[in-house]
Amino acid sequence: MPDSSAAAGTTGPPGRSRQGLPRSVAEAPSTLQVLRSLDSGPRGLTEDEAARRLARYGEHTLPGTRPDSLARRLVRGLRDPFTAVLLCLGLVSAAVASWGTATVILVLVAVSCALRAGGEHRAERSVAALRELVATTATVVRRPDRDEPPADRELPVSDLVPGDVVRLGPGDPVPADVRLLRAHGLTVHQAALTGESVPVPKRPADLPADAGDDRHLCFQGSSVAAGSATAVVVATGADTRFAAALDTAGRRRGASAFDRSVHGISWTLVRFMLLTPPLVLMANAALRDRGLETLPFAVAVAVGLTPEMLPVIVTTALARGSARLARDHGVIVRRLPALHDIGAADVLCVDKTGTLTEDRPAVDAGRSDPDALHWAGVAAWWTLQTAELPTPDPLDEALLAATDPDSWEAYDGICALPFDPVRRLATAVVREPGTVLGTHTLAVKGAVDDVLDRCALDPAERSRLAARATALTGQGLRVLAVATAERAARRRPWTTADERGLAFVGLVAFTDTLAPTAAGALRALADQGVTVKVVTGDHPGTAARACRDLGLDPGVVRTPADLDALTDAELADLARATTVFASCTPAHKARVVRALRTASTVGFLGDGVNDVPALHAADVGVCAREAAPVTRESADLVLAGAAGDGLDAMAHAVTAGRHANATTASYLRITLSSNLGNVIAMLSAGLLLPFLPMLPAQVLVQNLCFDAAQLSLAYDRQDARVLSRPTALRPRAFLRVITGFGLLNAAADLATFGILVLAGPGLSSPDAFHAGWFTENLLTQALVMLLLRSTRSRARPVWWAVGGLATLGLALPFTPLGPLLDMTPLPPLYYALLTLVLTTYAVTLRWAAGMARARADS
């Protein structure tokens, strides 16, 4: 368990926290000493003093949640391997005075970085607007000045400062690290910090920080399960324990699906590109006695192999997909590559509550005893009223919704003993209508075992009732036991010692309320080839029942007891065969996700603070708009649509991601096949011909034309066949395919060389040779664009681009630009023979592409 002193911020200079607070703030043994060290009191701070502290300490936000600057986003775009290599090639081109090549390359680098930075900036603005829409607030005790009485105010959490006095009630997130001043039946969920899966009781106590007991402290990142409290803020921002936990866990996951696929292909080509210029220089020096004058050509060959438009195409496709998702489905993509990852995902892990089910139980009247339901409703109402709790907990809310208000209000409430996780009971003391004034009734509800232990029952009856409750729990129901007792009225306070000798009344069963869109969304994800796995901290029976009600076969439900004894390899095998993991702590959730990632691309959808480790462990983390603030900041995608539509929006996000991935795959398949064939042909011709097969300026113009045409691929439509399965690029298989297509393209180029030598101008006219190969290159590139796309759709932008590319290839040698590029027109016989070569190439390429699609589909 983390040391309690983290609440005061123990990472600053000796004697003081990073905020400049004295170390004694949390370490002081008494509450009075804490208030004095903070110059505060039970009546809270004045507005002026709070404003001065806010200016001194800064806003109460977690480290890393502030948006990056535009300059930082632009620099981060250079991490893409191709973008970095393009930048290096641009600088090399400038060094050898190839200014045209250098200018074009550097413009492409700038455009790619700007597109990515712009997309991420728009996503950050959307998240900021969402943050304002669902801004987290806290109830703070403030005074206008020292002479005015204090008043409760609802303020943004970011405005909290050390010394503020805050109120806490059921369901409230703890807004900062606080020390309790007063508490009534307070229990707190703090699984995100300690892994404890049950609420922890808290109460004021005069204890120093080194006592090994933090029951008097509550920490940001936890939430109130039951009870109420007043507390003083002792740490905010980077000095909170939760900030320290985030620093320890780290926010960086391993390589994502995007990194593993595109970067795997990238670095293979990068190595080849870096090897190409020295090979060209050495071969020309050895065989043709050409030295450094071939350096611009060598650089042009390396550029010719580079898919220089990859960053632009990928970023454009991802940005368009994220814009459509935000506009049409309320999905905010905070990290653009995450859209690729969700499209490649074949496993989606989901938390149960808030995703498959709504965060509220409902009474199952058919399996509940009517008298027990009546008394449970009375106990819930009068506990809420007499204990002055601000809101009912979910179970009490379900009881109040399932019972008649007249039946509660007919009683007179005397007092209440709120629920706590130690005795696991809640008791309301009431006076029944029409009874003698001297008689009070205790209405007790709580965990079955604890209620039965306090009832006057013989062992056989107790065993029978316990077995009945176990059977209901096995059906995935939550069960409360209800008992009553008649007691004489008295003046002294009622205590937990009075919860003895009770008369058992019956059982109340609760079921989860299913999310209305969950069943349809699960079917849609299954149709898309995405396997859904439920990873929840809830009870195994409850999780299994929710799955069955939604049509998802839970199979054998696994719990931490099944996982802890396994190695990582064994867990990976078990995880692939398991649908439901229940009773999971945050650490178990993250471990299950990491195990699944060994063989799959994994998304995780959750909304609680305890889901943050799993969000970090997944290839792509997703949360709903109602998620805890730190969960939203940790997620890659935020589902900002209507509550309960999470899984439905996920299906749309998967489709958008696959569309972007198919576009990326099309571009890589087209450009690498064409470029690889051209480079092989250029290297071969450079060694066989007495002149350079293509001048650097011609290589640059050809690349510019091809690149401009390929921009249309970002606006291509995709077939339903492509969108029906995960679209991950597998580097080895992909490189095998493009090598085959590249060799086919090189064969067409070499056949064109033969035509130019035998039926064209021969080797006597370099200008005609350059023109012939330039024309053939653009025509084969146009064919590749049509035949190697991921789709057979007739998208107008692509067809217009292909037509323009073919027209330019045929017409350019006949225009005034031809002589400027050292090209001259060719005789008609060349074009007739070229038509035969291109027809053969198109037929062969179509057959090879069909075979590749068939293998991919199988």
Side-chain angles (χ1 to χ4, degrees):
M1 182 177 291
D3 186 75
S4 300
S5 61
T10 57
T11 58
R16 304 189 75 81
S17 71
R18 281 176 286 193
Q19 292 177 330
L21 295 172
R23 291 285 183 217
S24 59
V25 167
E27 296 173 356
S30 75
T31 303
L32 181 59
Q33 289 173 323
V34 171
L35 291 172
R36 285 176 177 170
S37 63
L38 290 168
D39 193 18
S40 182
R43 301 173 70 223
L45 300 175
T46 65
E47 294 292 350
D48 290 343
E49 177 60 24
R52 285 194 294 271
R53 296 189 185 192
L54 185 62
R56 177 183 175 187
Y57 302 136
E59 288 191 347
H60 171 36
T61 57
L62 287 171
T65 61
R66 297 177 180 89
D68 288 335
S69 65
L70 181 60
R72 185 184 293 272
R73 289 195 182 98
L74 289 172
V75 171
R76 193 164 57 230
L78 295 176
R79 293 178 183 174
D80 180 88
F82 271 128
T83 306
V85 169
L86 277 176
L87 179 61
C88 294
L89 289 175
L91 297 176
V92 170
S93 299
V96 299
S98 183
W99 301 112
T101 303
T103 300
V104 171
I105 290 175
L106 294 177
V107 167
L108 289 175
V109 170
V111 169
S112 170
C113 292
L115 281 173
R116 177 164 293 185
E120 292 181 353
H121 177 64
R122 286 192 297 273
E124 186 60 42
R125 282 192 308 177
S126 299
V127 172
L130 180 64
R131 195 182 298 124
E132 294 297 325
L133 182 65
V134 292
T136 302
T137 60
T139 303
V140 184
V141 179
R142 290 270 179 93
R143 294 174 288 160
D145 57 53
R146 291 190 177 276
D147 297 328
E148 295 290 329
D152 290 354
R153 294 186 54 193
E154 200 74 14
L155 295 177
V157 165
S158 59
D159 289 350
L160 287 181
V161 295
D164 263 327
V165 174
V166 296
R167 310 279 194 201
L168 300 174
D172 287 347
V174 178
D177 285 2
V178 300
R179 183 157 179 163
L180 295 174
L181 303 177
R182 294 185 299 277
H184 191 72
L186 182 67
T187 60
V188 174
H189 289 293
Q190 56 182 34
L193 295 173
T194 66
E196 293 162 291
S197 57
V198 296
V200 178
K202 299 283 186 177
R203 63 180 179 84
D206 288 340
L207 295 170
D210 59 2
D213 189 342
D214 59 10
R215 62 176 179 259
H216 58 308
L217 300 171
C218 296
F219 306 102
Q220 184 179 19
S222 56
S223 61
V224 177
S228 58
T230 301
V232 61
V233 174
V234 297
T236 59
D239 282 348
T240 61
R241 178 185 284 195
F242 192 72
L246 287 181
D247 288 341
T248 302
R251 303 180 68 86
R252 292 181 62 84
R253 58 171 63 88
S256 69
F258 182 82
D259 300 328
R260 295 194 299 268
S261 58
V262 175
H263 290 191
I265 296 170
S266 299
W267 285 115
T268 300
L269 294 172
V270 164
R271 296 186 190 99
F272 191 66
M273 286 182 325
L274 295 177
L275 189 63
T276 299
L279 284 178
V280 173
L281 289 174
M282 288 188 295
N284 276 275
L287 299 177
R288 290 294 176 182
D289 199 26
R290 293 193 288 256
L292 289 177
E293 68 269 18
T294 61
L295 182 57
F297 173 71
V299 172
V301 171
V303 173
L305 181 63
T306 306
E308 59 267 25
M309 293 299 290
L310 177 62
V312 177
I313 293 287
V314 170
T315 305
T316 302
L318 294 176
R320 291 187 72 242
S322 66
R324 283 197 304 269
L325 278 176
R327 182 183 65 246
D328 299 337
H329 306 292
V331 177
I332 298 171
V333 181
R334 300 189 64 229
R335 182 178 64 88
L336 279 183
L339 192 59
H340 168 281
D341 297 340
I342 201 63
D346 53 346
V347 173
L348 176 64
C349 296
V350 300
D351 190 20
K352 181 186 72 67
T353 305
T355 303
L356 301 179
T357 63
E358 296 182 354
D359 193 11
R360 57 183 181 90
V363 171
D364 188 332
R367 292 181 173 87
S368 301
D369 299 319
D371 287 346
L373 183 56
H374 164 76
W375 280 109
V378 171
W381 173 254
W382 286 110
T383 300
L384 181 66
Q385 299 301 312
T386 58
E388 297 182 354
L389 302 178
T391 56
D393 68 24
L395 290 180
D396 282 350
E397 201 167 22
L399 289 169
L400 297 178
T403 53
D404 184 2
D406 292 338
S407 65
W408 328 317
E409 296 170 357
Y411 295 83
D412 293 324
I414 306 301
C415 74
L417 304 174
F419 176 87
D420 72 62
V422 177
R423 65 186 230 286
R424 302 198 300 171
L425 301 174
T427 298
V429 182
V430 299
R431 184 170 59 241
E432 287 192 65
T435 60
V436 180
L437 289 178
T439 303
H440 291 164
T441 301
L442 277 65
V444 182
K445 60 181 177 63
V448 174
D449 291 343
D450 295 270
V451 172
L452 292 179
D453 286 345
R454 289 163 172 81
C455 290
L457 297 169
D458 61 67
E461 180 66 7
R462 181 178 286 107
S463 297
R464 184 187 69 79
L465 293 171
R468 181 187 167 206
T470 301
L472 291 173
T473 302
Q475 297 171 25
L477 299 170
R478 290 188 177 95
V479 183
L480 284 183
V482 182
T484 61
E486 298 293 331
R487 297 285 191 269
R490 66 188 187 204
R491 291 182 179 273
R492 63 184 176 84
W494 295 91
T495 68
T496 57
D498 296 303
E499 297 169 334
R500 293 289 185 272
L502 306 177
F504 182 80
V505 176
L507 302 176
V508 178
F510 300 84
T511 185
D512 285 315
T513 303
L514 301 179
T517 61
L522 285 174
R523 289 192 295 270
L525 288 168
D527 292 341
Q528 291 176 316
V530 178
T531 300
V532 174
K533 295 183 182 292
V534 180
V535 186
T536 178
D538 217 332
H539 187 277
T542 305
R545 180 185 177 87
C547 291
R548 284 192 294 268
D549 290 346
L550 291 168
L552 184 66
D553 182 8
V556 178
V557 179
R558 301 295 181 180
T559 63
D562 302 314
L563 311 184
D564 291 338
L566 300 179
T567 65
D568 289 344
E570 291 170 337
L571 178 58
D573 293 335
L574 179 71
R576 286 192 290 272
T578 301
T579 299
V580 179
F581 297 87
S583 301
C584 291
T585 65
H588 285 110
K589 290 184 178 184
R591 189 175 178 222
V592 168
V593 170
R594 285 193 294 268
L596 289 167
R597 284 188 70 197
T598 59
S600 300
T601 301
V602 181
F604 186 91
L605 172 58
D607 59 0
V609 175
N610 61 331
D611 293 321
V612 170
L615 292 174
H616 288 162
D619 287 291
V620 55
V622 190
C623 75
R625 62 178 289 178
E626 298 85 5
V630 71
T631 310
R632 290 201 304 272
E633 299 296 344
S634 302
D636 300 309
L637 273 68
V638 179
L639 310 179
D645 289 344
L647 277 178
D648 197 38
M650 277 299 302
H652 294 298
V654 167
T655 299
R658 291 180 181 179
H659 193 288
N661 292 355
T663 299
T664 302
S666 287
Y667 169 75
L668 283 172
R669 193 181 304 110
I670 289 166
T671 194
L672 293 180
S673 299
S674 178
N675 290 358
L676 181 61
N678 287 344
V679 167
I680 294 172
M682 275 196 283
L683 291 176
S684 302
L687 299 177
L688 298 174
L689 298 176
F691 51 81
L692 292 177
M694 190 174 286
L695 301 179
Q698 294 166 350
V699 175
L700 174 63
V701 171
Q702 174 191 291
N703 286 346
L704 281 175
C705 295
F706 192 28
D707 291 341
Q710 287 180 104
L711 279 174
S712 64
L713 293 174
Y715 302 87
D716 203 1
R717 297 190 299 269
Q718 300 298 334
D719 297 336
R721 172 187 59 85
V722 175
L723 303 178
S724 64
R725 63 181 185 275
T727 50
L729 295 174
R730 295 172 177 82
R732 290 186 179 180
F734 193 81
L735 288 172
R736 281 198 303 269
V737 170
I738 64 172
T739 300
F741 291 147
L743 292 174
L744 188 59
N745 184 275
D749 287 346
L750 293 174
T752 303
F753 293 166
I755 293 173
L756 289 168
V757 172
L758 299 176
L763 301 179
S764 60
S765 174
D767 289 357
F769 190 96
H770 293 157
W773 193 22
F774 183 90
T775 297
E776 185 266 348
N777 262 338
L778 289 189
L779 291 176
T780 54
Q781 286 169 342
L783 287 173
V784 166
M785 280 190 64
L786 281 181
L787 298 177
L788 293 188
R789 293 154 63 214
S790 299
T791 174
R792 296 188 178 92
S793 71
R794 297 181 178 273
R796 287 186 178 181
V798 176
W799 281 84
W800 279 107
V802 167
L805 188 64
T807 301
L808 191 62
L810 290 169
L812 189 61
F814 296 92
T815 67
L817 289 176
L820 293 177
L821 292 173
D822 295 316
M823 290 189 293
T824 186
L826 288 159
L829 178 60
Y830 165 74
Y831 293 101
L833 294 174
L834 180 61
T835 301
L836 179 62
V837 170
L838 293 177
T839 301
T840 304
Y841 172 68
V843 171
T844 308
L845 184 62
R846 186 180 181 88
W847 172 81
M851 294 293 292
R853 287 194 187 99
R855 284 195 297 271
D857 291 341
S858 62

